Amino acid sequence: MPRLAAALRGLAVTATAVALTAAAVPQGEAAAPRASGGTAAVAGTAAKAPEEFVALRDVDPTIRQEMRYFTPHNFMGVPVTGYRQPLCILTRDAARALHRAQRSFLRRGYTLKVYDCYRPQRAVDHFVDWAEDLGDQRMKGEFYPRIDKSTLFRDGYIAEKSGHSRGSTVDLTLVRLPGPPTRPYIPGEPLAKCYAPKAQRFPDNSLDMGTGFDCFDTLAHTLNPRVQGRQRANRLLLKQGLERAGFRNYDKEWWHYTFTPETFPDTYFDFPVSRRSLNTGHGALDPGH
């Protein structure tokens, strides 16, 4: 029944996609998603999200948020199109599942920290445009030191569609409590390789997972046999806790998880990351059980 309900919701959104595409696009943002070449629907550029989307903070305010794409500390080196606020938005089912996982981690002295949640299609388009500009290598020293930028599409690091745009995928890590906040990144500061020893990498406050977030390198593969000891144990701690809550890991990125069954398995959305995109008339949400 949950799969049937999700499918029906997806069909409803697909049926309204044509009307949504006529909505105005804010100046300076991508005008339209790229063609997928498949059957998945793109729900236009409407300013509002379906009611199934919520702010994670309304469901669980204890989960930390370090929304990297709102800042220039990412593989492109600039804030990403479509991120108007540093806000984690997810489908309600995915947010409630994270709340369940968080309760378990808190009992063990850890907290989840999210780097990215729902990602609008216009942000994915921004990634693609950046990947096609081979002259822009400003963040290579941190995020892809051993990768030739011309191979990012071939190697699967950049694609024209992302599961994040469906709303049930999240990039996240674990922080040992109390865990001071991560210091702000200063544009232009010296870059450290994302797979360097933790003491040499950008000073993220998370557990040592062997690489930093968004490290374009095989060492970021969740079960890479070269990652051993405490780093492997930390990855497994995150993986096992999230799997118990219903999430599935993408094996090439230790930080990437999707809640299943997805609320919208075949629909890619493009509303901006902003409180104003959400239907918040009902106030704070019951996190469920």
Side-chain angles (χ1 to χ4, degrees):
M1 291 300 293
R3 292 181 181 275
L4 177 59
L8 291 173
R9 284 193 293 267
L11 287 172
V13 172
T14 301
T16 61
V18 174
L20 291 173
T21 55
V25 181
Q27 188 174 16
E29 303 228 351
R34 294 167 182 261
S36 68
T39 59
V42 180
T45 54
K48 286 290 187 180
E51 64 180 12
E52 290 87 353
F53 281 86
V54 298
L56 175 62
R57 191 167 283 121
D58 290 343
V59 177
D60 193 321
T62 70
I63 296 175
R64 299 193 182 185
Q65 300 190 25
E66 187 179 311
M67 306 303 291
R68 288 286 187 89
Y69 298 146
F70 181 74
T71 79
H73 190 208
N74 59 67
F75 58 85
M76 297 196 303
V78 296
V80 179
T81 298
Y83 287 82
R84 298 182 182 172
Q85 290 181 275
L87 179 70
C88 174
I89 294 175
L90 290 168
T91 57
R92 184 177 288 103
D93 289 343
R96 287 175 170 172
L98 273 191
H99 169 69
R100 294 193 295 272
Q102 174 74 341
R103 288 192 300 184
S104 175
F105 284 125
L106 288 174
R107 287 194 291 268
R108 303 175 69 174
Y110 302 98
T111 179
L112 289 167
K113 180 177 78 171
V114 295
Y115 294 115
D116 192 38
C117 302
Y118 158 75
R119 181 185 306 164
Q121 181 62 44
R122 67 192 74 184
V124 179
D125 293 346
H126 194 178
F127 291 174
V128 171
D129 290 342
W130 167 84
E132 292 173 343
D133 179 4
L134 300 183
D136 184 351
Q137 307 257 349
R138 76 188 80 178
M139 302 301 285
K140 179 178 176 62
E142 179 174 354
F143 292 95
Y144 53 107
R146 294 190 283 216
I147 301 294
D148 189 309
K149 189 177 179 182
S150 66
T151 69
L152 291 178
F153 287 106
R154 184 197 70 192
D155 295 342
Y157 293 111
I158 300 290
E160 293 191 350
K161 286 287 179 288
S162 170
H164 282 272
S165 302
R166 301 194 298 265
S168 296
T169 293
V170 60
D171 293 336
L172 73 177
T173 188
L174 283 171
V175 175
R176 185 185 297 277
L177 293 170
T182 297
R183 72 161 175 83
Y185 165 77
I186 303 171
E189 69 176 82
L191 300 177
K193 295 179 176 66
C194 57
Y195 50 76
K198 183 173 175 60
Q200 299 175 26
R201 300 196 300 264
F202 181 82
D204 193 301
N205 63 357
S206 70
L207 298 184
D208 185 3
M209 299 290 185
T211 78
F213 165 62
D214 258 0
C215 187
F216 294 175
D217 196 273
T218 57
L219 280 174
H221 295 186
T222 307
L223 300 179
N224 187 305
R226 292 177 292 164
V227 178
Q228 293 293 327
R230 176 50 55 190
Q231 296 170 338
R232 186 178 184 87
N234 289 339
R235 291 185 185 192
L236 291 176
L237 176 65
L238 178 66
K239 184 174 185 288
Q240 291 163 1
L242 289 172
E243 286 177 343
R244 284 193 293 270
F247 288 87
R248 181 183 70 250
N249 175 241
Y250 173 52
D251 62 4
K252 292 181 172 57
E253 298 176 348
W254 60 257
W255 55 82
H256 180 116
Y257 285 84
T258 299
F259 179 71
T260 56
E262 293 185 60
T263 308
F264 296 105
D266 301 308
T267 308
Y268 297 78
F269 294 92
D270 193 38
F271 57 85
V273 176
S274 167
R275 273 277 181 188
R276 295 182 65 181
S277 296
L278 298 174
N279 293 284
T280 56
H282 301 292
L285 294 158
D286 178 1
H289 301 286

